[in-house]
């Protein structure tokens, strides 16, 4: 029988690396309510929904901040429709979308966790989850399968706005990181999910941050609302001393080149190509060495 329990607040562990490491190893995640200031998170939410409005994904004559989808419209990452890709490229062009993962409060936690300087993957993900069509809800998986590079890579998942039980959010299979790297198909099909798995989840508030190891099994929860779009972001982090897969240095989904993403930014913006100034062990892309990875 699979059970569910709330995330454990790890705020008090930030100043104690030994306890932070112990919790992260035992549970596969660390959770920080209110780690980020609310305003930049809400501002990014506003910007993403205004892009959605421009692409006619939102209900007309409604407040874009409410995120109400246009009747009969459903798009998702998996369908790779032309409508979705055009919209997603414009989301990737938002500077704040790339700036927020560099927030000092996130980096402070990860510097304690890694004990070294932190490398931020530039390939960020915006999760745009429409209600209905639950067959597209993200199944259980480990991020190492698509991300590769170092197994000591961590994902930082941030809801863009409050996320209650109806909106769903993200659930973590507590302690699943200790099982090592599992065959991806077996995890996604639930065949490798143990019957006594304890899933950690609770409602999220704006500013909450969930961090988890690349071997931690996690899954999306269905958006059960009638018409509200759920937004969240994922960013990946690792020690500068660990290898990184070169695909992690590209735009998510390969939907665009960095030149297009940066086309409306200031010429001398320090976020542009910041990784080129960091001496990293960059591995040839895993999908070219072996096979194309399953989509993130």
């Amino acid at each position: 029988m699979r059970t569910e329990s709330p995330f454990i607040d790890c705020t008090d562990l930030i100043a104690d690396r030994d306890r932070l490491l112990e919790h992260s190893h035992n549970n596969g995640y660390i959770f920080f309510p209110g780690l980020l200031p609310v305003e930049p998170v809400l501002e990014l939410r506003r910007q993403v929904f205004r892009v959605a409005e421009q692409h006619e994904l939102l209900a007309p004559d409604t407040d874009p901040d409410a995120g109400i989808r246009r009747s009969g419209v459903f798009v998702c990452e998996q369908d790779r429709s032309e409508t979705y890709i055009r919209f997603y490229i414009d989301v990737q062009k938002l500077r704040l979308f790339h700036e927020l993962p560099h927030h000092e409060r996130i980096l402070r936690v990860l510097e304690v966790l890694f004990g070294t300087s932190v490398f931020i993957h530039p390939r960020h993900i915006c999760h745009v989850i429409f209600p209905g069509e639950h067959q597209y809800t993200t199944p259980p998986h480990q991020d190492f399968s698509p991300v590769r590079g170092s197994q000591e890579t961590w994902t930082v998942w941030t809801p863009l706005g409050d996320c209650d039980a109806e909106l769903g959010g993200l659930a973590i299979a507590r302690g699943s990181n200790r099982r090592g790297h599992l065959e991806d198909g077996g995890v996604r099909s639930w065949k490798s999910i143990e019957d006594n798995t304890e899933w950690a989840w609770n409602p999220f508030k704006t500013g909450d941050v969930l961090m988890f190891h690349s071997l931690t099994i996690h899954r999306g929860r269905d958006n059960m609302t009638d018409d509200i779009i759920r937004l969240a972001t994922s960013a990946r982090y690792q020690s500068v001393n660990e290898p990184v897969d070169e695909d992690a240095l590209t735009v998510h989904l390969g939907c665009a080149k960095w030149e297009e993403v940066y086309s409306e930014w200031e010429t001398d913006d320090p976020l542009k190509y910041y990784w080129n100034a960091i001496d990293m062990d960059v591995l040839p892309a895993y999908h070219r060495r072996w096979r194309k990875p399953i989509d993130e």
Side-chain angles (χ1 to χ4, degrees), residues 78-113:
Q78 292 89 334
D79 70 16
R80 305 293 176 92
S81 66
E82 183 179 352
T83 298
Y84 177 82
I85 293 299
R86 287 201 309 266
F87 156 72
Y88 197 59
I89 290 172
D90 284 344
V91 171
Q92 289 285 336
K93 290 180 178 180
L94 298 173
R95 188 187 187 281
L96 184 57
F97 174 65
H98 296 275
E99 179 185 7
L100 196 60
H102 290 252
H103 199 283
E104 61 180 1
R105 295 187 185 179
I106 293 174
L107 296 182
R108 183 173 73 244
V109 173
L110 292 170
E111 285 171 354
V112 174
L113 183 69

Side-chain angles (χ1 to χ4, degrees), residues 62-83:
T62 61
D63 180 358
D65 291 348
I68 300 173
R69 63 99 171 259
R70 182 181 289 266
S71 178
V73 171
F74 182 91
V75 297
C76 65
E77 176 184 323
Q78 292 89 334
D79 70 16
R80 305 293 176 92
S81 66
E82 183 179 352
T83 298

Side-chain angles (χ1 to χ4, degrees), residues 158-220:
T158 307
L160 300 184
D162 294 350
C163 185
D164 61 13
E166 264 202 304
L167 278 171
L170 192 74
I172 294 287
R174 193 173 73 82
S176 55
N177 55 299
R178 289 181 275 130
R179 299 181 62 192
H181 184 215
L182 304 175
E183 195 274 322
D184 193 57
V187 178
R188 289 178 181 263
S189 67
W190 289 82
K191 292 179 180 178
S192 299
I193 306 297
E194 298 171 329
D195 288 339
N196 62 348
T197 296
E198 179 185 335
W199 290 95
W201 178 86
N202 51 233
F204 296 89
K205 292 291 187 181
T206 306
D208 290 355
V209 173
L210 176 63
M211 306 181 181
F212 51 91
H213 190 272
S214 77
L215 297 181
T216 299
I217 297 172
H218 57 288
R219 61 180 174 88

Side-chain angles (χ1 to χ4, degrees), residues 129-162:
I129 311 300
F130 278 62
E133 305 293 342
H134 300 318
Q135 69 270 25
Y136 292 115
T137 299
T138 303
H141 64 286
Q142 297 173 310
D143 275 355
F144 182 69
S145 289
V147 175
R148 296 292 161 165
S150 169
Q151 287 191 356
E152 295 307 313
T153 296
W154 279 66
T155 296
V156 172
W157 186 88
T158 307
L160 300 184
D162 294 350

